[in-house]
């Protein structure tokens, strides 16, 4: 891929996260599959999972099903598998092992639940090697009280009786020493953790297995533990797949829970990780605020959505037909200036150059229109540079002051700034961004490349903490009238044959998620809100380098998290 071609794609293509929006449905039973339903939990076990469940201990060992089968990202291998949770375990289907005893594997729920509690079992004190039933693999010994149960239960691998390897396959090695612990039922019992189980010795001498599968599905006002671990795995997978130093992702909802995750570093020089107040260039998320200023001016009667742009700009083809609304919803046909080879050559020759907004508009309007006004849809940064200039022309004020007075201050966005044109710095603490673009094409730091070329289309700096507030305010129309908010949420279909994806007046509707993304040299941002869950999602990455499949770093994380949320909380939303 050439440097110029990558520049065009990164700056001109609006990435629609289609892979995230269709929630994977719970697997239904096939016509020839045998199933067993359980009224106690309102779930059933079918097919291979049922055969495995019945052959290896059934209700006593695994307990009742507590979920349907579904696709889940494995926290260890970072691969999607079909899984089902039971009160005490998790089954994982591996088609590559079909016909072998390993076609279905058990989850390492003992390790996973301890991890969710913030406990690293490898750092716990070890047992004395002279103890009976000592396992040097983990440095722990199975308590004598638990040995008989451990050694008398196992997976059916074809051995005579219950062999060591069959017990090991079912429960795994011990990963803690035995200790008195209070379990989730409130009982204080002798407890020992294994890779795949938790053993409990109750007062009557009975050994019971802890309900780890059920605990993984507990969601008392928060996302279930398994969901939070899957969010974490999504970050780890993005770190493996992308050339980025760090990521931040956050989800906030009073209904289904909050979660915040980071990985890597925001600043590879100091080693500083991402924080909620880490400053970050947000690119085209800036457009949502520019559109809000326009809608406020329309509310005040200073402007009309049907005003044509010839009163502010000369020399625009179809200028007497292109309206403010068309600039907002990307139906103007005005070409995207970032596709102009002249602009690309000028910028990459000197990324620190200060651009004037009128100069930027000229790059766009000197190109042939993409289509006649209103006859199509095409993402164009030129539209929003023009909108910023219209705001300043109508009000007689600097757009920087208007953002501050009309958006930042009312919402308390104290960490969001729109820098002066000649200021390429970021307030501390800030993320350092890398890009593959430039002359010649190579990975290089782009932190202080001057963003003045983006102006009202993408010059802004913000933080995850401010963006989570802005995501909700934007999507609910907090700063505009009900009438303007209805106009804002009038969608233009942007993907053929996909009516669930639309562009409004500076806002995107992606299968019911409302918001915007932003990719700018060195940085990638996604900011979205799902109204039915009152849920804000923000993902940040300090890189704009896409994969070969053209998935940008923060977009990749957002796609994964959205897919999980859609699966857990399905909704049917169609763009009207």
């Amino acid at each position: 891929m050439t440097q110029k071609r990558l520049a065009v794609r990164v700056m001109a293509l609006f990435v629609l996260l289609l892979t995230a929006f269709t929630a994977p449905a719970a697997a239904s039973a096939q016509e020839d599959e045998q199933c067993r339903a359980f009224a106690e939990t309102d779930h059933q076990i079918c097919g291979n999972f049922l055969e495995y469940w019945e052959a290896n201990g059934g209700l006593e060992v695994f307990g009742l099903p507590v979920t349907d089968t579904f696709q889940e990202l494995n926290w260890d291998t970072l691969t999607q598998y079909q899984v089902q949770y039971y009160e005490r375990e998790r089954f994982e289907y591996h088609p590559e092992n079909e016909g072998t005893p390993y076609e279905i594997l058990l989850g390492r729920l003992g390790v996973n639940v301890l991890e969710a509690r913030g406990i690293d079992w490898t750092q716990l004190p070890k047992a004395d090697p002279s103890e009976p039933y000592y396992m040097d693999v983990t440095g722990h010994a199975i308590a004598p009280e638990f040995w008989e149960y451990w050694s008398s239960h196992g997976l059916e691998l074809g051995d005579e009786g219950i062999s060591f390897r069959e017990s090991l396959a079912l429960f795994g090695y011990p990963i803690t020493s035995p200790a008195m612990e209070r379990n989730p039922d409130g009982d204080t019992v002798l407890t020992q953790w294994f890779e795949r189980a938790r053993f409990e010795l109750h007062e009557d001498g009975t050994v019971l297995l802890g309900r780890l599968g059920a605990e993984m599905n507990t969601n008392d006002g928060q996302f279930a533990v398994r969901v939070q671990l899957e969010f974490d795995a999504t970050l780890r997978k993005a770190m493996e797949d992308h050339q980025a130093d760090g990521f931040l992702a956050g989800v906030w909802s009073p209904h289904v829970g909050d979660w915040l995750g980071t990985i890597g570093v925001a600043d590879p020089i100091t080693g500083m990780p991402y924080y909620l107040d880490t400053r970050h260039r947000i690119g085209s998320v800036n457009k949502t605020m520019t559109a809000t200023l326009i809608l406020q001016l329309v509310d005040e009667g200073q402007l009309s959505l049907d005003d044509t742009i010839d009163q502010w700009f000369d020399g625009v083809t179809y200028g007497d037909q292109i309206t403010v609304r068309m600039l907002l919803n990307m139906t103007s046909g005005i070409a995207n200036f970032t596709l102009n080879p002249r602009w690309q050559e000028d910028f990459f020759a000197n990324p620190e150059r200060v651009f004037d907004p009128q100069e930027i508009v000229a790059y766009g309007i000197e190109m042939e229109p993409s289509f006649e006004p209103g006859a199509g849809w095409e993402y164009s940064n030129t539209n929003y540079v023009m909108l910023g200039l219209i705001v300043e022309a109508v009000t007689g004020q600097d757009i920087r002051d208007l953002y501050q007075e009309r958006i930042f201050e009312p919402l308390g966005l104290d960490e969001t700034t729109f820098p002066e044109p000649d200021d390429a710095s970021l307030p501390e603490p800030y993320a350092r961004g890398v890009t593959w673009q430039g002359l010649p094409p190579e990975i290089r730091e782009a932190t202080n490349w001057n963003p003045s070329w983006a102006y009202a289309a993408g010059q802004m700096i913000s933080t995850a903490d401010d963006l989570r507030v802005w995501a909700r305010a934007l999507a609910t129309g907090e700063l505009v009238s009900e009438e303007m908010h209805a106009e804002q949420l009038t969608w233009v279909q942007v993907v053929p044959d996909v009516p669930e994806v639309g562009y409004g007046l500076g806002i995107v509707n992606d299968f019911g998620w409302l918001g915007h993304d932003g990719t700018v040299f060195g940085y990638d941002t996604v900011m979205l809100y799902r109204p039915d869950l009152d849920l804000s999602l923000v993902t940040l990455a300090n890189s704009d380098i896409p994969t070969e499949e053209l998935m940008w770093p923060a977009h990749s994380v957002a796609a994964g998290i959205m897919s999980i949320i859609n699966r857990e909380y399905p909704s049917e939303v169609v763009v009207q």
Side-chain angles (χ1 to χ4, degrees):
M1 182 181 292
T2 66
Q3 172 270 326
K4 183 177 291 187
R5 183 61 172 163
L6 181 58
V8 168
R9 286 180 171 172
V10 169
M11 302 177 57
L13 179 64
F14 179 76
V15 180
L16 298 168
L17 309 174
L18 295 178
T19 58
F21 305 127
T22 304
S28 57
Q30 303 298 313
E31 287 187 11
D32 58 346
E33 270 191 332
Q34 296 239 336
C35 293
R36 180 175 170 185
F38 296 85
E40 299 93 332
T41 60
D42 197 28
H43 294 289
Q44 62 180 355
I45 313 176
C46 297
N48 291 345
F49 281 1
L50 178 59
E51 293 177 17
Y52 189 90
W53 185 87
E54 290 178 335
N56 292 286
L59 196 61
E60 177 191 351
V61 173
F62 302 120
L64 299 167
V66 294
T67 71
D68 293 321
T69 57
F70 63 93
Q71 293 288 321
E72 182 176 65
L73 182 65
N74 182 287
W75 315 303
D76 297 318
T77 66
L78 303 183
T79 302
Q80 291 275 350
Y81 296 106
Q82 184 183 43
V83 305
Q84 184 169 25
Y85 281 81
Y86 302 84
E87 289 179 287
R88 302 184 184 95
E89 247 305 345
R90 167 185 181 269
F91 288 5
E92 185 175 273
Y93 178 60
H94 284 254
E96 72 276 13
N97 298 330
E98 185 175 359
T100 76
Y102 307 103
E103 186 173 346
I104 292 171
L105 299 180
L106 299 180
R108 299 174 72 238
L109 296 194
V111 172
N112 297 143
V113 172
L114 286 180
E115 177 186 339
R117 295 182 181 181
I119 298 173
D120 180 357
W121 70 267
T122 64
Q123 301 303 310
L124 297 176
K126 304 300 184 184
D128 185 335
S130 65
E131 292 185 34
Y133 318 123
Y134 176 79
M135 309 285 178
D136 59 2
V137 173
T138 58
H140 291 284
I142 299 177
E145 295 88 342
F146 296 136
W147 172 253
E148 182 179 353
Y149 191 96
W150 188 92
S151 60
S152 62
H153 293 77
L155 297 184
E156 183 54 62
L157 300 180
D159 298 348
E160 183 177 348
I162 302 296
S163 68
F164 178 88
R165 74 166 186 147
E166 289 176 328
S167 295
L168 188 65
L170 179 59
F171 300 123
Y173 289 104
I175 57 174
T176 72
S177 296
M180 299 301 293
E181 292 184 19
R182 176 172 292 180
N183 67 17
D185 295 328
D187 300 325
T188 300
V189 293
L190 182 68
T191 303
Q192 186 166 23
W193 292 76
F194 295 79
E195 289 177 282
R196 301 185 181 90
R198 183 179 68 227
F199 282 19
E200 300 174 358
L201 180 65
H202 287 255
E203 288 184 357
D204 61 359
T206 303
V207 174
L208 296 178
L209 298 181
R211 299 175 68 249
L212 296 184
E215 291 168 31
M216 293 290 284
N217 281 274
T218 300
N219 57 350
D220 298 330
Q222 288 292 325
F223 291 106
V225 174
R226 63 173 173 78
V227 172
Q228 296 186 52
L229 289 174
E230 198 174 0
F231 287 160
D232 292 337
T234 301
L235 276 178
R236 297 206 315 275
K237 181 167 176 53
M239 198 71 180
E240 283 193 1
D241 292 346
H242 292 274
Q243 298 180 76
D245 289 310
F247 294 82
L248 178 146
V251 182
W252 299 270
S253 167
H255 302 304
V256 297
D258 298 344
W259 170 83
L260 179 68
T262 65
I263 193 169
V265 295
D267 186 341
I269 294 178
T270 65
M272 180 191 76
Y274 264 109
Y275 298 107
L276 280 172
D277 66 347
T278 301
R279 270 57 171 195
H280 196 272
R281 298 200 192 278
I282 62 172
S284 291
V285 175
N286 192 160
K287 292 178 173 67
T288 61
M289 297 190 182
T290 303
T292 297
L293 293 182
I294 289 286
L295 297 178
Q296 289 176 340
L297 296 178
V298 176
D299 269 333
E300 296 163 8
Q302 299 190 57
L303 192 63
S304 168
L305 292 175
D306 296 321
D307 284 342
T308 55
I309 66 171
D310 54 341
Q311 60 188 292
W312 298 291
F313 301 98
D314 296 325
V316 179
T317 305
Y318 304 120
D320 60 345
Q321 300 175 45
I322 296 171
T323 65
V324 170
R325 183 192 303 274
M326 292 174 181
L327 294 181
L328 287 165
N329 65 16
M330 306 288 188
T331 61
S332 70
I334 296 173
N336 189 347
F337 73 86
T338 59
L339 294 175
N340 189 330
R342 189 169 70 85
W343 177 82
Q344 294 175 17
E345 291 167 4
D346 290 347
F347 177 82
F348 287 119
N350 180 15
E352 287 76 38
R353 173 177 170 174
V354 178
F355 285 89
D356 178 81
Q358 293 283 2
E359 180 185 12
I360 290 295
V361 171
Y363 286 113
I365 65 175
E366 73 183 27
M367 301 169 69
E368 287 293 320
S370 299
F371 46 80
E372 294 184 4
W377 184 90
E378 183 176 88
Y379 194 76
S380 174
N381 288 300
T382 313
N383 289 337
Y384 274 76
V385 174
M386 298 174 84
L387 286 167
L389 290 170
I390 290 172
V391 166
E392 292 189 334
V394 169
T395 63
Q397 292 182 258
D398 191 309
I399 196 169
R400 184 172 296 97
D401 297 331
L402 294 169
Y403 287 135
Q404 184 69 35
E405 296 167 8
R406 290 172 172 260
I407 298 177
F408 303 166
E409 289 180 3
L411 296 177
L413 307 184
D414 299 330
E415 297 163 346
T416 304
T417 56
F418 189 80
E420 296 283 349
D422 59 353
D423 183 3
S425 66
L426 291 90
E428 294 186 350
Y430 62 86
R432 291 184 181 272
V434 295
T435 186
W436 186 75
Q437 301 184 75
L439 298 173
E442 62 184 16
I443 295 177
R444 65 188 74 206
E445 184 177 342
T447 306
N448 296 122
W449 285 13
N450 192 298
S452 61
W453 61 269
Y455 181 53
Q459 189 175 334
M460 198 167 285
I461 297 167
S462 191
T463 66
D465 208 22
D466 276 6
L467 290 179
R468 71 186 178 102
V469 175
W470 175 236
R472 186 180 193 280
L474 170 71
T476 60
E478 186 172 339
L479 298 183
V480 298
S481 68
E482 288 186 15
E483 179 185 0
M484 279 303 100
H485 188 48
E487 294 281 3
Q488 187 178 28
L489 303 186
T490 301
W491 311 108
V492 177
Q493 185 175 328
V494 302
V495 180
D497 303 320
V498 185
E500 298 87 354
V501 179
Y503 201 90
L505 305 187
I507 187 170
V508 178
N509 185 341
D510 289 337
F511 284 74
W513 293 80
L514 309 181
H516 218 286
D517 65 340
T519 305
V520 66
F521 299 115
Y523 301 88
D524 192 31
T525 304
V526 177
M527 178 201 78
L528 295 165
Y529 178 80
R530 198 172 129 176
D532 60 325
L533 299 178
D534 191 13
L535 183 149
S536 298
L537 166 65
V538 176
T539 63
L540 308 176
N542 52 4
S543 166
D544 70 325
I545 304 172
T547 62
E548 286 297 318
E549 297 75 28
L550 291 180
M551 180 63 85
W552 278 258
H555 287 71
S556 182
V557 175
I561 292 176
M562 293 162 73
S563 180
I564 296 166
I565 294 172
N566 287 346
R567 182 194 70 211
E568 297 293 315
Y569 308 99
S571 70
E572 296 183 4
V573 181
V574 177
V575 176
Q576 300 297 323

